[in-house]
Amino acid sequence: MRTENHPAWLLPSGFEDMLPARTEALEHCRRSLLDRYALWGYRQVTPPLVEHLESLLTGSAADLDLQTWKLLDQDSGRLVGLRSDMTPQMARIDAQTSASGEVRRLSYAGTVLRARPDLLGGSRAPFQVGAELFGVGGPEGDLEVLSLMVESLRACGVPHLLLDIGHVSIPQALADSAGLSAAQRSDLLRLVERKAWPDVRTWLKAHGCGQAVTADFTALSHLQGEHTVLDRARQQLGQHPAIVEALDDLGFVWESLRTRYPDLAIQCDLAEIRGHQYHTGLLFSVYGPQRGEALARGGRYDEIGAAFGRRRPATGFSLDLKPLLRDLPEYGKSQRIWAPAGSDPDLWKSITAERHKGHIVIQDFQSESVPDAAQLQVRGFDARLEQTLGGWVSKPVPAR
C-alpha cells in the first residue's frame, strides 16, 4: 500500500540502483578478476540464485541461517532460500561433479542476497566474487588462495593492504581440553567468538574447568599482533599437539607470504574464530586504509562437503566488489564517435566498421548536420563521422 512516507519509487533499505558509470566499473573489474583467476586454473561456474533451504544451510553452513531469505516454493511446497553466500553452492557443485582425489579450482561472480546487512547502512545485495580450491588439504592450498586474494585486491587498486590471519583449531583445541559436553563447548566458543574474556573466565570457573584451562584461555586472550605471537603461543600453549600443528601451518603461510609480497602488512589474532561452525582451519581477512570492515574474507572449510556425500579438503575466499568501486584504477575507455541521422547505406557501413574496431558510435537522430566542436566535446564525443568524396570517414573533434 502506498503512503506518503513510502513512495512507489523508494527501494527497500540495503538495495540500490547502479547507474551506468558504476556498473561499467564493476563489470570491468569483474571481468578482469575472472580472467586473472582463469590464468591460475580457476574455472568459472554460475550456480542458481535459489536452492532448497537444506542445501544452502546444511551442516557447517548453518552459520548462514540468519542471513538467508526464506521463501515457499509454490511448485513443490518446500522451503527454498535465496543464496546469501556462494561457498556452500561451490561445495555442492564440487561434491556432485568432481572425480575422487581430483584437485578442483572454481571461481564465481554474482549477486548474493542478505536478510540483513553486515554493517549499519550496508548493502543487502553484495556482488560477490571469489575462488575456491578443493582437494588440497595442506597449508599449500591456503597459501595459493591467500595469494590470489591479495592479488585480487591489488588489481582493484586498493593500496597498503593489511592481512589478518588466525586458526580456528587453536581456540577449539583449548575447549576440547576442558572435557566439556557438546552444548557446553558451543557455549564457551560463542563467548570466545565475541571476545568476552571476563565472561569466559567467569564461565570457566562456574563450570569447574580448573586453573590450567583458565590459564590457557587467559594466555589466548593476549595472543594478537606481529610474527612473534607465534613463538609466544608455542611457549604458552605448546602442550597441545593440535595447536602446535596449527602454528606450523600459520608459520609456513606467513613466511611464504612475506617472501612473495614483502610490502604486505601481516598480523594475527589466534583467538579469532569467526564462523567457527563453518571453518575448520586457517581464517584470513584483508583490510585497506581507512576501512573498518574487511574487504575480503576466506578460510578453510573441510567439513561442508560431507553433507553432500563428499567430505573434501576445501579453502577459498570471497569479496564484495561494490565497496571497492571507489578504488578501481582508471581503465581505457573506447573512443566515442558522433554520427548524423539518416539511413544512407554507406553511413551504416561506416558506423558498423567503427563499432567493429571497438569504438562507440552514437547516431544523432535529431540532426543530420554536424554540431560544432564545443557541443560535441560537452556531450563527450572524441570524433565525428563526416561525408567526403571517398565516403564517410571519422575525424577527431577539433580542440577548443
Side-chain angles (χ1 to χ4, degrees):
M1 186 174 78
R2 296 186 186 180
T3 69
E4 291 184 4
N5 294 330
H6 295 86
W9 51 263
L10 186 65
L11 295 175
S13 64
F15 294 90
E16 62 176 347
D17 291 317
M18 291 192 64
L19 299 180
R22 292 190 75 216
T23 299
E24 289 167 3
L26 184 143
E27 175 59 21
H28 171 79
C29 194
R30 181 197 72 86
R31 186 67 267 159
S32 175
L33 290 179
L34 290 174
D35 288 345
R36 182 180 299 268
Y37 300 164
L39 295 177
W40 289 52
Y42 288 79
R43 302 185 67 186
Q44 184 183 1
V45 296
T46 305
L49 182 63
V50 177
E51 291 202 32
H52 291 123
L53 195 60
E54 58 268 30
S55 177
L56 292 176
L57 302 182
T58 189
S60 54
D63 274 356
L64 302 173
D65 183 41
L66 293 178
Q67 286 283 28
T68 302
W69 293 78
K70 302 170 182 69
L71 307 168
L72 182 65
D73 180 6
Q74 297 186 28
D75 181 57
S76 67
R78 296 174 62 182
L79 277 177
V80 296
L82 304 177
R83 67 186 182 208
S84 61
D85 187 284
M86 289 203 205
T87 302
Q89 296 182 298
M90 297 301 107
R92 176 184 57 76
I93 290 172
D94 175 72
Q96 292 175 327
T97 61
S98 64
S100 178
E102 177 187 6
V103 174
R104 194 83 176 279
R105 292 173 171 87
L106 300 178
S107 66
Y108 53 88
T111 298
V112 297
L113 295 172
R114 304 271 169 84
R116 57 187 68 185
D118 292 332
L119 295 172
L120 182 64
S123 174
R124 290 198 286 169
F127 192 91
Q128 193 175 68
V129 178
E132 313 292 334
L133 173 62
F134 298 93
V136 180
E140 295 82 5
D142 297 306
L143 175 62
E144 175 171 300
V145 166
L146 271 162
S147 300
L148 191 54
M149 182 173 70
V150 170
E151 297 203 7
S152 296
L153 290 171
R154 288 185 168 183
C156 290
V158 184
H160 311 303
L161 297 176
L162 171 63
L163 172 65
D164 186 82
I165 58 177
H167 203 297
V168 297
S169 295
I170 295 175
Q172 288 175 343
L174 295 185
D176 292 340
S177 72
L180 304 171
S181 68
Q184 290 173 332
R185 179 182 183 274
S186 180
D187 289 342
L188 176 58
L189 289 175
R190 275 197 292 268
L191 292 175
V192 174
E193 185 173 15
R194 290 178 9 222
K195 307 293 178 66
W197 297 114
D199 292 341
V200 169
R201 288 188 286 272
T202 300
W203 191 96
L204 292 171
K205 183 178 180 179
H207 289 79
C209 293
Q211 292 184 353
V213 173
T214 301
D216 284 346
F217 275 97
T218 300
L220 179 65
S221 69
H222 296 96
L223 291 174
Q224 305 95 28
E226 304 297 328
H227 190 271
T228 55
V229 168
L230 302 185
D231 296 328
R232 285 166 42 207
R234 290 182 188 278
Q235 295 169 4
Q236 298 172 10
L237 304 176
Q239 69 272 27
H240 302 282
I243 291 180
V244 173
E245 183 178 352
L247 292 172
D248 288 342
D249 290 350
L250 285 167
F252 168 78
V253 168
W254 198 318
E255 292 297 337
S256 300
L257 288 172
R258 286 206 298 194
T259 299
R260 293 182 178 186
Y261 309 106
D263 59 340
L264 175 65
I266 307 176
Q267 65 181 26
C268 72
D269 181 354
L270 299 187
E272 178 61 55
I273 54 169
R274 165 186 49 83
H276 63 275
Q277 297 181 56
Y278 185 90
H279 292 289
T280 61
L282 261 74
L283 287 172
F284 32 86
S285 303
V286 176
Y287 298 83
Q290 300 179 346
R291 304 273 194 160
E293 182 70 8
L295 299 178
R297 295 184 185 273
R300 180 162 289 279
Y301 55 99
D302 291 344
E303 300 293 340
I304 193 172
F308 303 112
R310 296 283 301 280
R311 184 191 180 281
R312 295 253 287 164
T315 181
F317 77 92
S318 65
L319 56 87
D320 178 10
L321 274 188
K322 288 183 178 179
L324 300 178
L325 294 183
R326 76 181 193 191
D327 296 317
L328 288 177
E330 290 293 327
Y331 58 92
K333 293 184 178 293
S334 298
Q335 186 180 44
R336 286 170 56 91
I337 302 175
W338 177 91
S343 56
D344 178 7
D346 290 334
L347 173 61
W348 174 250
K349 289 180 182 178
S350 296
I351 291 173
T352 302
E354 294 295 338
R355 287 172 177 164
H356 285 167
K357 295 176 185 178
H359 299 156
I360 298 170
V361 184
I362 299 176
Q363 194 168 17
D364 188 344
F365 295 113
Q366 297 179 343
S367 175
E368 294 186 9
S369 59
V370 181
D372 62 37
Q375 288 181 316
L376 290 174
Q377 288 183 346
V378 167
R379 293 164 62 184
F381 288 103
D382 308 294
R384 60 196 181 192
L385 283 178
E386 294 185 14
Q387 191 172 28
T388 67
L389 293 177
W392 291 91
V393 297
S394 174
K395 294 185 178 181
V397 174
R400 286 188 286 176

